[in-house]
Amino acid sequence: MKALRLHSYWRSSASWRVRVGLHFKGLPFEYVAVHLLKDGGQHHSEAYRALNPMRTLPTLEWTEEDGSQRRLSQSLAILEYLEARFPAPALLPKDTYLQAKARMLAEMVNSGIQPLQNLSVMQRIKSELKADDKAWSAYWNARGLEALEAAVKPLAGRYSVGDEVSFADICLVPQLYGARRFGVDLTPYPTLLRIEAACNELPAFQAAHPDRQPDAAPA
Amino acid sequence: MKALRLHSYWRSSASWRVRVGLHFKGLPFEYVAVHLLKDGGQHHSEAYRALNPMRTLPTLEWTEEDGSQRRLSQSLAILEYLEARFPAPALLPKDTYLQAKARMLAEMVNSGIQPLQNLSVMQRIKSELKADDKAWSAYWNARGLEALEAAVKPLAGRYSVGDEVSFADICLVPQLYGARRFGVDLTPYPTLLRIEAACNELPAFQAAHPDRQPDAAPA
């Protein structure tokens, strides 16, 4: 893999996950900013839809040694691919059952929380249903994080699954950032907060943080 | 793995995916019906929450040869686990890049469509926001299937990725069933319909169909 280009938005939690993965594996990449709000949402542009018809972030593009062009979207599919191509340092436990548990925790965020409060959904809640999009998002975050706290507790060491970083942590950290933005009280989730603090000590998580991205526009 | 027990609901699309996987791999299992509507939703019971705090279906339980009890939820995490333990017959392509594409297509359904129209979300749209839950679900199905049709087209053979069944097909078939229930016009997605027809010829897909489950209650 060479000439990696990540189509990303600083605050997109799925983009954030892949940024952690790339930094963790030591893979340099070009950052291609796609603004989710400017121009009516640059992810809705024809050019971006040609890359990713689902209009989601991120999309990773790269060139193989033989010159062939590659493209992939969906954060967990990208992380699985990076794990297969660059197994060290690992982002999944060696034990097959613990691997499954790491994927389960990752999916609890990836399919169980994040989709219900992504920007497209919030926009529709607000514009079509004339409802409180922030309250909607806070509800699903609290409901999901309560379940995640219960599911993580018997598995956690320093990180979500034992003492090694995994997909579960990569999904957790951006989700907690989102939950705070929606005003969710995180004190009922001490295990998740402890794991987040451990992750935040790692250079890959630091480098992937929204505020460190070229398109960051902190308030 | 022995004494497999699948907590399932006949119409749950995530349960359906795992049923296909189990039948495809030739793994017998006990069917434990969890009714999503009876008793205020049996997945909200204390007993089920102890198994799966996210209150989603399915959950797979089993016993290892050494007697240890195992439990896993999240359909794609379960399918990955079955694939690792029983690699033949395969449900992912051998080529790493095509494998990634199969996972990408699966995630477009798993995180991109299904979560936005699962029962919990529909109930909240209806009861809390007093809005049309069926119109809500139809919108996200049509939007997602349009993207899926575009993403599948360059990859498809007889199935979603070439001529071998994969996770992508396992996610597709139950989603199309759901889309029909919400009244979505599927004629704009001829590739998806063609793949669905090919899948429906396979015994594993036939055995996993909602109407064939012990808790089925067809209208």
Side-chain angles (χ1 to χ4, degrees), chain B residues 16 159 173 180 195-203 205-206 209:
Chain B
W16 185 345
Y159 302 107
V173 170
R180 281 188 191 96
I195 294 165
E196 181 194 36
C199 290
N200 285 340
E201 291 182 20
L202 302 172
F205 281 84
Q206 291 165 5
H209 192 280

Side-chain angles (χ1 to χ4, degrees), chain A residues 49 53-54 70-74 97 100-101 104 107-108 110-112 115-116 120-121 124 139 146-147, chain B residues 49 53-54 70-74 97 100-101 104 107-108 110-112 115-116 121 124 139 143 146-147:
Chain A
R49 288 179 76 156
M54 199 74 175
R70 305 295 204 187
R71 179 196 308 155
L72 200 55
S73 62
Q74 291 295 330
Y97 182 58
K101 289 289 194 180
M104 177 191 79
E107 285 292 359
M108 287 175 73
N110 179 60
S111 69
L116 304 176
S120 298
V121 169
R124 198 157 177 90
Y139 172 82
E146 182 192 357
Chain B
R49 288 179 77 157
M54 200 73 175
R70 305 295 204 187
R71 180 196 308 156
L72 200 55
S73 63
Q74 291 294 330
Y97 182 57
K101 289 288 195 181
M104 177 192 79
E107 285 292 0
M108 287 174 73
N110 179 61
S111 69
L116 304 175
V121 169
R124 199 160 175 89
Y139 172 82
R143 187 186 192 281
E146 182 191 357

Side-chain angles (χ1 to χ4, degrees), chain B residues 48-108:
Chain B
Y48 190 72
R49 288 179 77 157
L51 284 182
N52 180 342
M54 200 73 175
R55 299 179 252 167
T56 53
L57 287 174
T59 299
L60 184 66
E61 292 184 289
W62 70 95
T63 307
E64 287 296 345
E65 297 305 320
D66 65 2
S68 54
Q69 299 295 311
R70 305 295 204 187
R71 180 196 308 156
L72 200 55
S73 63
Q74 291 294 330
S75 61
L76 286 182
I78 297 171
L79 289 171
E80 292 278 0
Y81 183 77
L82 296 177
E83 187 71 6
R85 291 286 301 262
F86 306 97
L91 281 172
L92 283 174
K94 280 209 183 72
D95 177 83
T96 311
Y97 182 57
L98 292 179
Q99 232 176 62
K101 289 288 195 181
R103 287 191 175 107
M104 177 192 79
L105 297 174
E107 285 292 0
M108 287 174 73

